[in-house]
């Protein structure tokens, strides 16, 4: 057992996974009045995970590539289920993202006072579940962790959510049922894949084995299986028209849940599409790609326009999130390594930016108890630090160069412009509207004359500063030195064989529905 | 000699680095202390100025060598499959000129702000933004490739947004900042597309490399198809400068940008940021040269139209800063059409001289505003020359420079552009340019006469501004006087900064004194007319207004372009947004809610089968058994081979 | 009309048994009184008895000189015994229900209703 990337089975990943679980167990045994201690324990748990995942990120051997920090324990040998964990260049940024957001979300919820114990226990379970999906190398484990993720969200939204245009019960129910329907289709696809791959007698759930047995999947099978997975992962990544859970879900959820939701949950969809969809079923991906591209553009433009019409702060950002996922989707549809790099980087970038913007908005709501933009205004007078954070988040959202969001979007555009020129141009056209609604939101919330009714507000300080500092630092560091992130992603895309798969599939004659 | 200068040029990256360090220091360390913040910032920019002067001297001493081989330092920034971008610095005469102009004006403005922004609560924040702007602009000027330029281009836009909205408690300021950002973003859309297409087609964004590829490819006749592609890219690329440099129709943000503090207007919206678009066209001139001539013609048309459009609006404005803003728009139009008609050197020369006298006039206007306790309407001023002699004199120098009166700076540069317009076969544009020169002289003189001459109004207790504000005025006035003289020597401005189409040699153009005379005449006519109307009052201004009331109203309301845009945004964009929102809530969500409704409804219906009565259940049981039996016994298919009785008994 | 089968044979007895069974079945489904339902169940059981006895009489090969095969009759006796036990338990249940609900109307015993 070692902590080196490649030498033997490694306990690093189980450690990262279990640190929040241990923290949760400790919290369960703490008395419920000790809210400060509970929060500190949660912070330590996620902090340990963050430090370990930072270590994993920088200790990963990029030259060697492939899956590292592996751990494989046979679990149900007859079915071919292994407890297999491992990370490569594609999943390591996602793991790091999860831990960054998890750590920030603990601090963003620092002022929680209702049922603190249950909240943080559920939050830690949620974070563990999300981490597990990214580090799983086995389909069964992947699905297991995915299901672990959906349930705590429901409970958290129902109890700690907020009711504005729609009731929080409605929001929570809609979110959960929608995701479960998606995962039902996904399950069918997964089992079909498992059965198809088991034909030569050794059934397996491992990703790399499933990918290797591609000759067993006929093109027709790939089309159907990918379609099912697209339904499932598409709902998760809020692809039009399966996006309507997203705005209501974000608006109704408490801050930490929104951060994790927008930050990582949607990325499980994107990650799943890459790992399972494109990697294992490339012909199916090629078949569905033009449709995905079209729906992606609908995402970008449609959601951007709707964000213009919103009067509720969280809804603006919710629709904005749907819009940004359109960029990831069109990159996935382009099926070439540059676009893949851009898609993964965009997932990372959007995750960090979402965490920042939701934590800032969460603080605004916590202090002012209103999300209506018309009631807010001139907050930069009373809360300058919060204003800086929100302004920087807005700038990242509209893709200002020197943030990591810009370079990811640029890479996506570069990868898609020669594959789908019209769609790419429409997508780039969307940056104008992104600027409009973000700037409008910032101007109406932060700037303007001082409003006396908000004079009693206290600026964010102490632990509340952590999300802002951490996220801003990451956004600008990765934006100014993109090779840190892109080097990792590029090595992942190439060493995992994805680039080769894309090369072969781009030469395939099939494309579209015909 | 070149070798030593070569070493200096390797360190050109230090010039933007110093303001960046100052930005970091002020933002994180010295924010509390006002004195320290401004000191750090001004020291940084003055050091950068010193370095820029050294580089300029080095360029001049290198002679023709550096024109052919610019000195480049590059390091890799992003390296993934399909996208390799470098970051670096490039030193050639054009860059050296821009470096000098930017650092000079920036340092003058920062020193000036010591006096103008005195007592403002956001002092440190102001100097933070100023340093960030200096860093961004200098980085842009030194860029070696299009993406690096674009990155700094956007950063400059950000600084503009932050500085226009500096007094964010004013609704007008925040709206103006928003407008600036959004309008330039529309232009950036085209620029981004051009960058993407360029990289896809040519595999590189480096200026030197692109220039080489285009030069070699264009000699290959078989690539005729490429010519139209290049034209499309040229048009798309031009969209960026249309937004950033305020050409029609994306000019609407610049007058509103006057909401920012006056030093900011002087720096960003007169001398540096707005010329970024012109600089980009100049940098990528090889692209336009290899495109269809319609591209350059389009640039010339837009530039000329902007020039006369803005000048016509300026004659009806009453706010001192607005007049200067429209004047800037008009001069930017000059620079743009200069590039369009092939007057590359003239256009760049005008960029330099315009920076000097426009910054001078803006700072002078700031001095006036400061003395008038922030009143900006020129009709409330009058006779200020007596109480503010330094401001008045330097402002007068600026007026003469912009009107193209020799030997001031504007004469040489404007004349070069107009002469080239006529010689390169664009008589209409020459006519437009000449008329605009007349209008320019007229409205600038109008401004000067109304503000500084005539009887003083006693309710304005004006006095001269402090030294921190008047010294920059004097320095800029000095440059407005001598700046034009670099056109005279043997190795003049055009020797260093020029564009050579393939296969041509550089030949020095002499000054055409005939053309020069005509443009001077136009300028003097404008000054004379303003003198007659506003000093002598021989023709009353009011009577002219009374004779053309609608024309005056249209001009004063800026041709209602702003109102048109607001209408489009509110009704077209906002309307579409509302329609799509309705669609999302009632149709898309409606389907989802419909599914839930179906589930609930069918549940409501189906629950009635649970009657709670055993008899009903028993009956259902029995009939089910009968049916199954029937199917087994009499139906088709695999099931009938299974003998039900035998199955019940367990026999195969 | 083929009247050659007018003699009373196995099918006649089976028919009678079926008719009695259906009458009993109808009674179980449609009667409201619990006692009536129990009586109908008795009727069904007795119909089954007729079937058993009929089969015993007709199916057994007459040529074999075994007069004492009484399988059907024994089965019928079993059924009678079981019916008696079942009636005893059933009536005990009816009395308990009547004591609790003061009614023997089956329609009123619908606590499993939605």
């Amino acid at each position: 057992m070692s902590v080196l990337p490649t030498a033997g089975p490694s306990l690093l990943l189980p450690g990262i996974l279990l640190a929040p679980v241990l923290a949760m167990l400790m919290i369960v045994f703490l008395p419920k009045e000790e809210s400060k201690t509970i929060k500190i324990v949660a912070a330590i748990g996620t902090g340990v995970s963050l430090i370990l995942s930072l270590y994993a990120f920088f200790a990963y051997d990029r030259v060697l590539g492939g899956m590292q920090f592996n751990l494989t324990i046979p679990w149900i040998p007859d079915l071919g289920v292994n407890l297999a964990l491992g990370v490569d260049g594609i999943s390591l940024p996602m793991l790091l993202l999860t831990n960054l957001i998890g750590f920030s979300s603990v601090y963003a919820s620092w002022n929680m006072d209702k049922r603190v114990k249950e909240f943080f226990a559920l939050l830690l379970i949620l974070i563990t579940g999300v981490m597990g999906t990214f580090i799983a190398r086995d389909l069964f484990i992947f699905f297991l962790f995915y299901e672990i993720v959906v349930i705590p969200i429901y409970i958290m939204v129902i109890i700690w959510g907020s009711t504005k245009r729609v009731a929080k019960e409605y929001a929570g129910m809609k979110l959960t049922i929608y995701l479960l329907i998606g995962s039902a289709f996904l399950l069918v696809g997964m089992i079909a894949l498992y059965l198809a791959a088991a034909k030569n007698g050794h059934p397996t759930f491992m990703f790399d084995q499933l990918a290797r047995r591609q000759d067993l999947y006929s093109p027709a099978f790939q089309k159907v299986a990918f379609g099912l997975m697209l339904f499932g992962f598409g709902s998760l990544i809020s692809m039009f028209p399966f996006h309507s859970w997203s705005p209501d879900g974000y608006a109704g959820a408490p801050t930490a849940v929104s951060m994790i939701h927008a930050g990582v949950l949607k990325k499980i969809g994107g990650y799943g599409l890459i790992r399972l969809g494109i990697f294992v079923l490339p012909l199916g991906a090629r078949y569905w790609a033009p449709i995905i591209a079209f729906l992606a553009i609908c995402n970008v433009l449609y959601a951007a326009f709707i964000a213009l019409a919103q009067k509720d702060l969280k809804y603006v950002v919710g629709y904005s999130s749907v819009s940004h996922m359109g960029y990831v989707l069109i990159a996935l549809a382009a099926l070439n390594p540059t676009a893949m790099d851009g898609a993964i980087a965009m997932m990372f970038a959007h995750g960090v930016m979402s965490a920042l913007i939701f934590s800032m908005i969460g603080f605004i709501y916590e202090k002012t108890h209103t999300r209506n933009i018309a009631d807010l205004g001139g907050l930069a007078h009373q809360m300058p630090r919060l204003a800086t954070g929100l302004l920087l988040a807005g700038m990242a959202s509209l893709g200002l160069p020197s943030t990591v969001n810009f370079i990811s979007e640029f890479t996506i555009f570069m990868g898609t412009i020669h594959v789908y020129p019209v769609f790419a141009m429409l997508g780039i056209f969307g940056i104008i509207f992104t600027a409009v609604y973000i700037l409008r939101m910032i101007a109406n919330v932060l700037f303007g004359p001082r409003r006396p009714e908000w004079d009693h507000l206290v600026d964010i300080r102490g632990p509340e500063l952590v999300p802002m500092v951490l996220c801003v630092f990451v956004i600008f560091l990765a934006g100014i030195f993109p090779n840190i992130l892109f080097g990792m992603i590029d090595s992942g895309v190439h060493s995992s064989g994805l680039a080769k798969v894309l090369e072969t599939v781009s030469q395939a004659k099939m494309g579209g529905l015909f | 000699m070149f070798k030593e200068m070569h070493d200096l040029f390797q360190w050109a990256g230090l010039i933007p680095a110093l303001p960046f360090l100052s930005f970091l220091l002020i933002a994180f360390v010295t924010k509390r202390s006002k004195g320290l913040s401004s000191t750090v910032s001004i020291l940084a920019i003055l050091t950068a100025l010193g370095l820029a002067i050294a580089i300029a001297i080095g360029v001049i001493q290198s002679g023709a060598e550096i024109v052919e081989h610019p000195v480049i330092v590059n390091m890799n920034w992003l390296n993934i499959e399909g996208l390799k971008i470098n970051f670096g610095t490039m030193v050639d005469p054009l860059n050296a000129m821009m470096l000098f102009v930017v650092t000079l004006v920036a340092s003058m403005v920062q020193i000036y702000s010591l006096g103008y922004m005195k007592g403002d609560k956001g002092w440190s924040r102001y100097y933070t933004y100023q340093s960030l702007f200096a860093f961004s602009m200098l980085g842009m000027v030194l860029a070696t490739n299009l993406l690096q330029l674009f990155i700094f281009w956007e950063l400059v836009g950000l600084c503009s947004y932050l500085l226009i909205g500096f007094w964010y408690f004013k609704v007008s300021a925040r709206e103006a900042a928003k407008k600036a950002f959004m309008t330039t973003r529309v232009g950036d859309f085209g620029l981004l597309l051009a960058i993407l297409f360029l990289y896809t087609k040519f595999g590189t964004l480096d200026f030197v490399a692109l220039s080489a590829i285009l030069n070699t490819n264009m000699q290959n006749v078989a690539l005729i198809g490429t010519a139209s592609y290049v034209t499309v890219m040229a048009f798309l690329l031009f969209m960026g400068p249309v937004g950033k440099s305020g050409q029609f129709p994306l000019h609407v943000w610049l007058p509103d940008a006057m909401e920012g503090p006056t030093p900011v207007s002087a720096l960003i919206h007169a001398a540096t940021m707005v010329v970024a678009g012109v600089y980009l066209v100049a940098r990528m001139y090889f692209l336009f040269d290899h495109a269809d001539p319609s591209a350059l013609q389009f640039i010339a048309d837009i530039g000329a139209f902007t020039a006369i459009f803005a000048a016509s609006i300026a004659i009806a404005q009453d706010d001192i800063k607005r007049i200067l803003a429209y004047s800037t728009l008009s001069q930017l139009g000059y620079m743009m059409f200069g590039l369009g008609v092939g007057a590359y050197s003239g256009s760049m020369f005008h960029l330099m001289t315009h920076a000097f006298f426009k910054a001078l006039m803006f700072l002078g206007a700031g001095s006036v505003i400061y003395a008038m306790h922030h009143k900006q309407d020129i009709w409330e001023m009058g006779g200020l020359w007596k109480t503010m002699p330094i401001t008045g004199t330097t402002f007068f120098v600026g007026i003469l420079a912009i009107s193209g009166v020799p030997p001031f700076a504007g004469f040489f540069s404007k004349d070069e552009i107009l002469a080239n317009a006529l010689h390169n076969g664009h008589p209409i544009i020459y006519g437009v340019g000449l008329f605009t020169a007349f209008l320019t002289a007229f409205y600038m003189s109008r401004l000067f006469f109304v503000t500084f001459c005539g009887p003083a109004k006693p309710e304005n207790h004006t006095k001269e501004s402090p030294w921190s504000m008047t010294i920059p005025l004097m320095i800029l006035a000095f440059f407005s006087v001598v700046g034009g003289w670099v056109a005279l020597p043997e190795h003049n401005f055009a020797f260093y900064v020029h564009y050579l189409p393939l296969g041509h040699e550089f030949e020095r153009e002499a000054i055409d004194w005939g053309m020069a005379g005509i443009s001077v005449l136009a300028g003097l006519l404008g000054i004379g007319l303003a003198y007659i109307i506003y000093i002598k009052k021989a023709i009353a201004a009011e009577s002219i207004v009374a004779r053309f009331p609608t024309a005056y109203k249209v001009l004063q309301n800026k041709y209602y372009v702003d109102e048109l845009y607001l209408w489009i945004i509110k009704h077209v964009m906002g309307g579409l947004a509302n329609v799509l929102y309705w669609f999302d809530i009632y149709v898309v969500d409606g389907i989802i809610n419909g599914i839930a409704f179906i589930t609930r409804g069918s549940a409501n219906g189906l629950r009635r089968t649970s009657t709670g009565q055993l008899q009903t259940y028993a009956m259902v049981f029995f009939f089910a058994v009968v049916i199954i039996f029937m199917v087994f016994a009499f139906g088709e298919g695999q099931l009938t081979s299974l003998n039900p009785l035998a199955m019940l008994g367990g026999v195969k | 009309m083929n009247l050659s089968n007018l003699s009373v044979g196995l099918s006649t007895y089976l028919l009678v048994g079926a008719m009695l069974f259906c009458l009993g079945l109808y009674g179980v489904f449609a009667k409201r009184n619990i006692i009536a339902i129990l009586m109908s169940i008795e009727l069904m059981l007795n119909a089954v008895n007729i079937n058993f006895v009929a089969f015993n009489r007709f199916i057994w090969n007459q040529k074999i000189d075994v007069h004492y095969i009484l399988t059907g009759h024994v089965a019928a006796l079993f059924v009678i015994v079981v019916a008696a036990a079942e009636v005893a338990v059933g009536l005990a249940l009816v009395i308990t229900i009547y004591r609790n609900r003061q009614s023997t109307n089956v329609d009123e015993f619908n606590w499993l209703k939605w």
Side-chain angles (χ1 to χ4, degrees), chain B residues 374-457:
Chain B
H374 292 279
K375 276 203 289 220
Q376 298 182 215
D377 190 332
I378 57 175
W379 299 104
E380 293 181 19
M381 307 172 188
L384 290 177
W385 204 337
K386 292 189 206 61
T387 46
M388 308 175 69
I390 304 181
T391 309
T393 319
T394 49
F395 205 94
F396 188 61
V397 169
I399 300 281
L400 289 177
I402 200 175
S403 306
V405 173
F408 295 95
F411 162 68
F412 294 94
S413 50
K414 217 182 247 201
D415 163 65
E416 217 176 303
I417 295 181
L418 287 174
N420 264 303
L422 196 59
H423 288 154
N424 292 356
H426 298 97
I428 305 179
I429 295 189
Y430 171 74
V432 167
L434 196 60
F435 184 63
T436 311
F438 164 70
L439 282 179
T440 307
F442 173 71
Y443 65 71
M444 292 307 302
S445 313
R446 166 182 178 255
L447 169 70
F448 182 75
F449 290 141
V450 172
T451 313
F452 287 96
C453 304
K457 294 198 168 62

Side-chain angles (χ1 to χ4, degrees), chain B residues 508-565:
Chain B
R508 195 190 152 180
E509 287 187 24
I511 301 181
D512 184 342
W513 294 104
M515 305 260 67
I518 299 181
S519 32
V520 172
L521 196 60
L524 287 173
L525 271 174
I527 300 181
L529 186 60
Y531 185 78
I532 295 176
I533 297 182
Y534 296 102
I535 299 282
K536 281 275 201 280
K537 305 257 172 57
I539 313 172
E542 288 75 13
S543 65
I544 304 183
V545 170
R547 281 223 285 179
F548 307 103
T550 21
Y552 183 72
K553 199 150 186 297
V554 166
L555 286 179
Q556 200 172 38
N557 284 314
K558 311 161 268 165
Y559 294 93
Y560 297 105
V561 176
D562 278 313
E563 283 76 7
L564 177 68
Y565 285 167

Side-chain angles (χ1 to χ4, degrees), chain B residues 81-104:
Chain B
E81 157 140 10
L83 190 59
K84 287 180 187 21
I85 309 282
N86 291 328
F87 246 63
T89 62
M90 177 160 84
V91 176
D92 75 353
L94 181 60
N95 287 0
M97 182 271 284
M98 291 293 294
L99 278 177
F100 174 66
V101 166
V102 172
T103 47
L104 178 72

Side-chain angles (χ1 to χ4, degrees), chain B residues 467-494:
Chain B
W467 285 113
S468 56
M469 288 166 67
T470 49
I471 291 189
L473 286 177
M474 293 194 278
I475 297 180
L476 285 171
F478 169 72
F479 278 103
S480 300
V481 173
V482 309
W485 298 351
V486 296
L488 295 173
E490 176 64 35
H491 282 194
N492 67 352
F493 188 86

Side-chain angles (χ1 to χ4, degrees), chain A residues 165 170 174 178 240-241 243-244 248 301-302 305-306 308-310 319 337-338 341 380-381 391 395 398-402 406-407 410-411 413-414 417-418 425 428-429 431-433 435-436 439-440 442-444 446-450 479-483 486 490 494, chain B residues 20 32 76-83 85 121 129 147 150-152 154-155 158 161-162 165 168-171 174-175 177-178 181-182 185-186 188-189 192-193 195-197 199-200 205 236 569 572-574 576-578 580-581 583-585 588-589 592-593 595:
Chain A
R165 181 173 78 85
Y170 172 82
K174 185 172 181 184
Y178 219 127
F240 180 88
H243 65 281
S244 52
D248 288 327
L301 289 173
Y302 174 84
F305 270 105
I306 298 184
L308 280 171
Q310 295 305 314
Y319 278 107
T338 314
D341 283 347
H381 291 279
L391 183 65
M395 289 299 140
L398 53 82
L400 185 75
S402 82
F406 165 71
I407 191 68
F410 186 77
T411 314
F413 295 148
M414 192 59 89
I417 194 87
H418 52 145
M425 281 203 280
I428 301 173
F429 192 55
I431 65 172
I432 300 179
F433 302 109
V436 175
L439 287 174
R440 195 184 278 189
I442 289 180
N444 288 333
L446 295 178
F447 300 139
R450 182 190 204 105
I480 297 177
F481 300 108
N483 269 330
F486 275 87
D490 203 42
H494 284 272
Chain B
F20 184 62
R32 295 279 153 76
N76 182 264
W77 185 61
L78 177 67
N79 192 356
I80 58 172
E81 157 140 10
L83 190 59
I85 309 282
K121 270 198 312 180
Y129 294 159
L147 186 63
F150 183 76
I151 291 177
F152 283 110
E154 292 275 323
L155 279 176
L158 171 73
Y161 169 79
L162 290 171
Y168 55 77
F169 44 83
K170 283 203 285 184
V171 175
R174 91 167 183 217
E175 293 300 309
K178 208 168 62 161
F181 203 106
M182 289 202 273
R185 200 138 246 237
V186 175
D188 293 345
F189 160 65
L192 190 58
L193 275 179
I195 292 180
L196 291 170
F197 283 136
Y199 193 89
T200 312
L205 288 173
L236 282 173
I569 291 179
V572 173
M573 203 165 71
L576 185 59
N578 281 325
L580 286 177
Y581 184 43
F583 180 81
D584 197 54
I585 297 191
V588 177
D589 249 5
I592 305 302
N593 290 343
I595 295 180

